[in-house]
Amino acid sequence: MPPELAFTTDPSALHDAETLHVVGSVEGLRSRLVLDALPAAARPLWDALLQGEPGDAGRIATTLLPGSHKRLVVGILPRRPSRHNSPMSAFAWPGLLAQGRGRDAAVLAVIDDADHCRAVVAALARTLPLYNARSVRQDGRLTALILGPLGPIHDNSLPIVADAVRRAAWMVDLPPNQFGPDAFVQSARSVAKRDGVAVHVLRRRQLEEQGLGGLVGVGKAATQEPALVVLDWAPEGASTSVCWVGK
């Protein structure tokens, strides 16, 4: 079973985890809100764990909490975010969360602006892939709390964002002999039927007719015809159009 990702707004729900990850900018990690959210045993160690420059990829500091076998892992974000990512350096989160994560883990994600919460949740979700070809078990649970400048953030959309990212990553991670164009089309039709969305599928002939030679050329040697899927959702009262394109 793939690991489960759950969200909470109660800091005490993080304290019993075998490994507690705390990730944020060095400025954010020094806030009183973070200190109050930590287990009591971690507070005397906090200033020492935050020493040192994070560098271009961030920095990790780890310790065992006194009087227990619980591990505390601090991930300090780079000061300069990549130009391709949000100010919360989403590219750095997978590396900062990779160390020491066991089957029972928690993460306190400290963000400098509440508007960054979805970008951070997407980065968290990408560290928990649904597809795993290794023989090593990857089940377990990661409980996350998103801590903004005013306190824990409650947003019902966050689990939806995380689930969407993990499902999209699952499609990308699957090898093509397990998830080719035919399976992709069938998956899209299932989603459309479930959610009441219109679906339009273009296969080789339709792609050629519309001049989409790039897709046709890439798929010429495949045993399954290439496919372009368009999902069209038009809720009542909608006044604007948004188009997402990906592969």
Side-chain angles (χ1 to χ4, degrees):
M1 291 290 292
E4 177 187 355
L5 176 59
F7 292 91
T8 184
T9 56
D10 179 8
S12 65
L14 311 178
H15 295 178
D16 291 332
E18 295 174 0
T19 304
L20 172 59
H21 298 262
V22 186
V23 183
S25 67
V26 67
E27 293 80 11
L29 294 174
R30 293 189 187 280
S31 77
R32 183 69 197 186
L33 284 173
V34 174
L35 200 63
D36 291 342
L38 295 173
R43 295 168 190 168
L45 311 172
W46 195 239
D47 282 341
L49 290 169
L50 298 184
Q51 299 303 313
E53 284 297 315
D56 292 337
R59 187 176 70 81
I60 296 174
T62 181
T63 186
L64 290 175
L65 294 180
S68 74
H69 296 291
K70 293 182 171 61
R71 182 181 296 275
L72 176 65
V73 180
V74 182
I76 304 176
L77 294 170
R79 290 188 182 276
R80 181 182 298 176
S82 163
R83 67 184 185 277
H84 301 300
N85 283 272
S86 75
M88 289 310 296
S89 300
F91 72 96
W93 286 72
L96 296 176
L97 290 171
Q99 182 168 325
R101 192 173 74 209
R103 294 181 59 194
D104 177 23
V107 59
L108 177 62
V110 183
I111 60 177
D112 301 331
D113 187 322
D115 288 340
H116 300 158
C117 63
R118 292 180 182 85
V120 167
V121 166
L124 284 176
R126 195 63 183 97
T127 69
L128 297 170
L130 296 175
Y131 175 73
N132 175 29
R134 289 180 273 177
S135 58
V136 179
R137 291 175 59 187
Q138 281 194 310
D139 57 350
R141 179 183 177 91
L142 179 67
T143 303
L145 186 151
I146 313 300
L147 185 66
L150 300 180
I153 292 177
H154 175 74
D155 186 334
N156 290 330
S157 74
L158 298 185
I160 299 171
V161 170
D163 182 64
V165 169
R166 297 181 78 190
R167 289 179 181 274
W170 173 79
M171 293 183 184
V172 174
D173 294 341
L174 276 169
N177 64 319
Q178 296 184 34
F179 194 78
D182 291 348
F184 172 62
V185 169
Q186 182 57 46
S187 177
R189 292 191 187 280
S190 297
V191 169
K193 182 177 180 180
R194 181 194 68 196
D195 295 335
V197 177
V199 59
H200 311 279
V201 179
L202 306 181
R203 300 308 293 258
R204 183 192 299 274
R205 182 175 60 81
Q206 293 93 339
L207 292 171
E208 290 175 338
E209 290 173 351
Q210 297 204 23
L212 301 174
L215 288 174
V216 175
V218 169
K220 274 187 175 179
T223 58
Q224 298 178 13
E225 290 187 0
L228 175 65
V229 175
V230 179
L231 297 178
D232 188 358
W233 182 50
E236 185 176 351
S239 58
T240 60
S241 296
V242 177
C243 179
W244 287 0
V245 181
K247 65 175 182 178

